Amino acid sequence: MDVQAVLDTIAADAGRGDMVFPTHAEIALRVRRILDDPDCSIDQLHKLISAEPLLSARVVGLANSVAYNPSGRVSSDLRSAVSRLGFNTLRTLATALVVRQMRDMSGAPEHRALAARLWEHTAHVAALARVIAKRITGQDPEAAFFAGIVHEVGGFYLLSRAAAFPGLLTGNLDAWHEHGEALIGRAVLNALGVPAPICTAIEAMWEGYLALPPESLGDTLLLADELAPTESPLAELSDMGRHGVAADIDVLIGEEMLNSILKDSAEEVASLISALNA
């Protein structure tokens, strides 16, 4: 099989917008479009989110997480949850629902299993990126959270199409790391309307160069990816597991500081992952 040609075909399909999403994802995309309207109101959001039980549950769950509710006062009121999270976080959550629906679009059982592992990796990277942005790189935590959610959308789209190309994921996937990840990723990010600064950060992650000291949004993603306990299965299939970043994180940040950050933020990360997986 000419893997490169297949990846080019899949990227071209995504570039034409030939992506059909389930109902849950379509409503989430509508929420994102409303959030981009400068005249958007809390009432509009509340009405639309209320019509989608899955998204409603995600909103309330995230609003009650340690990351967004350090006081621990639990609320089941959707309107209050919408107000607490704010538009940027709601945009991230709506996008997370779209990405999870992409996970479920994979046809063959073995592809769904890979997609489930890729989502687990995604959730960890997103949660860690938010913490690293606050504690290490000084980036906007919500932008980092959003970037973590979408950094593997190309991989999810690949897995959703893999059944149409038997043998694609059983052969040599070097072409994915060398060319396909960026090619398909760019097409899907564009189709989803992901903002340019987020795309730039993901491009930096694909390049795999970590600045000294780490300070950009791209650096934030690279660190989160390296620290996530679950690797991307596509990185493993491409023989790129855990060696995409040359620098030693302990040397960059200091082992004591890194351990302190991970320990202090463990509850926050766990709460975010739980909310994303609910």
Side-chain angles (χ1 to χ4, degrees), residues 196-213:
I198 303 296
C199 293
T200 298
I202 295 172
E203 290 275 358
M205 183 179 183
W206 290 331
E207 292 172 4
Y209 175 73
L210 186 60
L212 298 173

Side-chain angles (χ1 to χ4, degrees), residues 6 19 22 66 93 106 134 147 176 185 208 212:
V6 170
M19 292 186 288
V66 171
L93 199 55
S106 302
K134 288 193 298 182
W176 172 251
L212 298 173

Side-chain angles (χ1 to χ4, degrees), residues 19-36 48 55 91 94-95 97-99 191-193:
M19 292 186 288
V20 179
F21 294 106
T23 303
H24 294 312
E26 288 293 345
I27 292 178
L29 287 169
R30 285 175 60 196
V31 169
R32 280 199 53 202
R33 285 193 289 270
I34 286 181
L35 285 165
D36 290 334
L48 184 55
L55 184 56
R91 187 179 289 107
T95 305
L97 182 57
V98 175
V99 176
L192 292 176

Side-chain angles (χ1 to χ4, degrees), residues 8-217:
D8 288 343
T9 297
I10 293 173
D13 291 343
R16 287 191 297 270
D18 292 346
M19 292 186 288
V20 179
F21 294 106
T23 303
H24 294 312
E26 288 293 345
I27 292 178
L29 287 169
R30 285 175 60 196
V31 169
R32 280 199 53 202
R33 285 193 289 270
I34 286 181
L35 285 165
D36 290 334
D37 182 347
D39 296 324
C40 174
S41 69
I42 293 291
D43 287 339
Q44 284 179 295
L45 275 176
H46 178 261
K47 183 177 180 180
L48 184 55
I49 294 173
S50 296
E52 173 42 58
L54 188 59
L55 184 56
S56 296
R58 296 279 194 281
V59 169
V60 173
L62 189 63
N64 284 322
S65 70
V66 171
Y68 293 95
N69 183 32
S71 70
R73 291 193 295 271
V74 176
S75 171
S76 58
D77 176 53
L78 179 60
R79 186 181 296 275
S80 297
V82 168
S83 298
R84 179 183 296 169
L85 292 178
F87 284 11
N88 286 338
T89 304
L90 287 169
R91 187 179 289 107
T92 298
L93 199 55
T95 305
L97 182 57
V98 175
V99 176
R100 280 197 65 171
Q101 293 295 304
M102 290 178 70
R103 176 198 70 178
D104 297 335
M105 288 163 61
S106 302
E110 60 269 26
H111 299 160
R112 287 196 296 273
L114 287 172
R117 286 175 57 200
L118 189 59
W119 172 253
E120 185 179 353
H121 168 77
T122 295
H124 274 98
V125 169
L128 285 166
R130 188 176 186 275
V131 169
I132 290 168
K134 288 193 298 182
R135 300 287 299 273
I136 298 175
T137 61
Q139 291 292 314
D140 177 0
E142 298 311 317
F145 192 38
F146 183 85
I149 288 294
V150 298
H151 83 284
E152 291 282 5
V153 289
F156 284 107
Y157 187 63
L158 175 74
L159 293 173
S160 75
R161 296 294 313 281
F165 304 95
L168 174 62
L169 300 180
T170 58
N172 188 326
L173 263 189
D174 285 352
W176 172 251
H177 173 73
E178 295 170 359
H179 176 73
E181 181 177 24
L183 184 69
I184 295 175
R186 288 186 194 109
V188 180
L189 289 169
N190 182 66
L192 292 176
V194 173
I198 303 296
C199 293
T200 298
I202 295 172
E203 290 275 358
M205 183 179 183
W206 290 331
E207 292 172 4
Y209 175 73
L210 186 60
L212 298 173
E215 56 186 21
S216 70
L217 191 54

